[in-house]
Amino acid sequence: MSGLEAEIKAICKAVGNDRTRTMDIVRAVQDKHGCVSSEAIDVIAKQVGTPRVEVEGVVSFYSFLSEQPKGKVVIRLCHDIIDQMQGCDRVAQAFAEELGIAFGETTPDGMISLEYAACIGMSDQAPAALVNDVVVTHLSSDAAREIVRKLKADPDPKRLVASLGDGNNAHPKVQSMVMNNIRVRGPVVLADFDSGEGLRKAVAMTPAEVIRDIKTARLRGRGGAGFPTGLKWEFTRKASGDQRYVLCNADEGEPGTFKDRVILTEHPDLMFEGMTIAGYAIGAETGIVYLRGEYAYLRAFLEEVLETRRKQGLLGRNVCRKEGFNFDIRIQMGAGAYVCGEETALISSCEGKRGDPKNRPPFPAQKGYLDGPTVVNNVETFCCVSRILEKGPGWFAESGSKGSAGTKLLSIAGDCRRPGVYELPFGVTLREVLDLAGASDAAAVQVGGPSGQLVGPKDFDRMICYDDLATGGSIMVFGPERNVLEVVREFLEFFVDESCGYCTPCRVGNVLMKERVEQIIAGRGEPADLDYLQELAETVKACSRCGLGQTSPNPVLTTLKNFRPAYEALVKQDKDGFRPTFVLSEAVGDAEAISGRKSVHTHQ
Amino acid sequence: MSETIPITIDGVEVQAKPGQTILEAADAAGIYIPRLCYQKDLVPFGACRVCTVLVNGRPQPACTQPVAPEMVIDNSSEKVQTYRRNIIEMLFVEGNHFCMFCEKSGNCELQALAYRFGITAPKYPFLFPKREVDASHPDIFVDHNRCILCARCVRASRDVDGKNVFGFVGRGPHKKVAVNADANLGGTDAAATDKALDICPVGALMRKRVGYAVPVGQRDYDTKPIGSDIETSKAK
Amino acid sequence: MAKPKVATTSLAGCFGCHMSILDIDERILKLVELVDFDKSPINDIKKFTGRCAVGLIEGGCANEENVEVLREFRKHCDVLIAVGECAIMGDIPAMRNMVPLKECLDEAYLNGPSVYNPSGQVPNDPEIPLLLNKVYPINEVVKIDYFLPGCPPSADTIWQALTALLGGKPVELPYELIKYD
């Protein structure tokens, strides 16, 4: 038996050779060997009893995993629109020059790989990067060169953390330079909190009474879609099944959002308590936090919080001395796939599969994780649950707007003076939000991330709430000097990269939308392209299988509606019926270089 | 169970059976809903989205959506047909579909759908991706240029042949069918008798040395559109 | 009244579509009653003599001359029809589109298994039009009004399209006439 084989067998054995724990296995192998090689895939498949093509499918799905070897240190530079606005291209150039490699490559000594990452949840301190699990923020080209020099001297990324961030970022188990940037603390999520208070009140009631309270509080899901939480729990409780599950979606991957990062850092107790209350309400014994791979730096800290809760009797057997109420929570790490924030894809990933969304029906409430009735809620939703039980549903329902009770955490970034996290009551107008953030001269605001909508000043008096401007938390501000179509292009690229590829409209449609928007930006668009884009976007929106594809055309659709002049200024009709997308001088470029002579036709 | 669920498809009242999907109920009633990844006797997959219908105004895939009382289904409006035509055109430009020399031409379900929709040329630019041909197996070849990722082979190999010869790797535009071996099909236990070989809707998965057997004019879709067998079943 | 004019050309094609035009058999007599042929390999007229009602284009754009000819057609024709799969999607010539041009030329003239080329020269006479980086469907170069699919489209398809247009009607093909092979 080779050394590799023995090591992998041990890794598999540590999770009981359980096929559904494939994610943990491949992550461990990747961390240890810098890749999950073909040989490793064979061993894993045999150990957990699954076809090797299944394991290969998993490894090839997640951007943090690879069959080909990566460096001992992987630098992942965040490349979202906010980071680009803050100068990430200069940082990228510095990294590439200092390392002598291009993005996607590894240094010849096999030490350092350089990659781009989609949003890593640090838009308020951009440009930022992950160096393995270590977060480095506020990068400049000088900082990038310094990082490379330090890594060459000592490849331990932890040494890169010079000064610690605020709050629990300085906790011994976190030790990161990340800043929380909490600008407004509201009464629900970010206010002080006594661990166990809400949970003790919950177990003094019947599960049905707990669900009734959640309904009375009119709590709706904070991830963005806004489904009534109490109703979801009731469906799950009533569904038939031996085992029920509570899943917490801590995979905030929507570019521009980072509020869950702050909750996880400062109030994980509030979240774990909400999960435990949910477990009591629906009759579950198992909770899983699906933590995005980008937040691996918080894992040890979260494990410690869980351990403390177990010691306090807030998790484990007979929770809060409630006879027969057993509930515990494990953390499932993701590995770099935005689509896993979609609840059924999240379930697939927790089951150790490719992060493909599932067909609905059945809905997770009927058949979710391992086919058991499953509740999936957002980090912030669970925090609200704890507070509702602690302070009462009436207290909660009093704040907010008519259809949207409570507060909302907003992650604000981009062209504003005070980027950070704001906990504000629902019903606040976008203008008020922009004033708070120091962005009164905003020309365009992306509400709800790329899958949300881009609005202009005429919409600034609209309210942040489910019935008007809905958002999972992401607010990106663009000043007058920004090119709206460049924002659209960037978002489409994001969706092309992050589509799971399962269904046709999303897999192909996003590529086609991006192609046409790029042509328009290059001045090669025709007036008819606007109708072309509209119809293409509507098809992708209507026919895609999951929320990713159903919202990926939103950048196109909302800008065609709200910023149409930006398109109209660039498109032009060719009177001769020539396609502006075809440029002869470019099409003969290769041949001119090969033949050493010039085209006789390109003068036209 | 003799109870039926009344639904309406394009204004026609249909008595569906409990547990049926919209597509199954339509088939039984002699109404054709276009489809590609759906294959009778395989678990519905919901990937191609060609079977999109409007259920009470909301787009839903007919192959995975169960019937429910009072559903009003639009299977023929201009809006629905435009969605479908666009999806079919996407599949044509996404891969490299050279019908003129493909063994499957005339019997290809993708091509037949395009014929049925009267598509003379896709409106989208051809992407001309670089894709591989795997001819390593003595009796079978895989031409990824023609693959539409419908997963029929994946499902049939797993659920009918009990072999798991095929699976998916990669994601987004890079998603592709892979085989259960470290290199190619020759390293798997695939056999020419596998059910998985019969159900490829396009020419991606083919048996060697048996191509072009049926003369032009006598192939499945030379004279009658795809779906007409379902539509004529109504007359019986 | 002068008869409407029809022009035809073959770009990167095999002339199969032109064969199919001739395949309309005796209907060609009716056709010449209805139209005059302008620039076309059928009558070997090299340059446009005037405005044409219909231009039939076979083949895709593989080189700079194809582009030039196609643009001339667009300028001189009221209605432009893509005839056959090469015009529509590039077809057989477009099988090189997945390979960089340099590799294609090296394979064709230097490295291919059946190549005998002791001088090691790749043809590069100034008379030879420069190849494009890939073969373009003609709709990506100029606006095209109608597409007649097939490799080649049948004579009936071509006849159906021409008679419709000359009768002032839009081209509509019945099921039997839409074929990609």
Side-chain angles (χ1 to χ4, degrees), chain A residues 576-584 586-588 590-592 594-602 604, chain C residues 64-65 67-68 71 74-75 101-102 105 124-126 128 130-133 136 139-144:
Chain A
D576 288 327
F578 294 179
R579 292 274 184 228
T581 46
F582 181 84
V583 180
L584 184 57
E586 288 176 15
V588 294
D590 291 348
E592 286 182 335
I594 295 166
S595 67
R597 58 193 165 101
K598 287 284 171 193
S599 166
V600 293
H601 296 290
T602 51
Q604 294 176 347
Chain C
E64 56 181 341
E65 187 195 25
V67 173
E68 201 61 20
R71 286 177 168 174
R74 183 67 275 181
K75 280 184 187 166
L101 182 59
K102 178 85 167 68
L105 290 169
N124 189 17
D125 190 276
I128 303 173
L130 290 175
L131 290 169
L132 306 183
N133 55 350
Y136 291 79
N139 187 41
E140 291 182 19
V141 178
V142 301
K143 184 177 171 294
I144 298 297

Side-chain angles (χ1 to χ4, degrees), chain A residues 140-152:
Chain A
S140 60
S141 42
D142 285 348
R145 290 179 198 282
E146 181 68 19
I147 285 170
V148 173
R149 280 194 284 270
K150 279 186 182 168
L151 285 173
K152 281 180 176 168

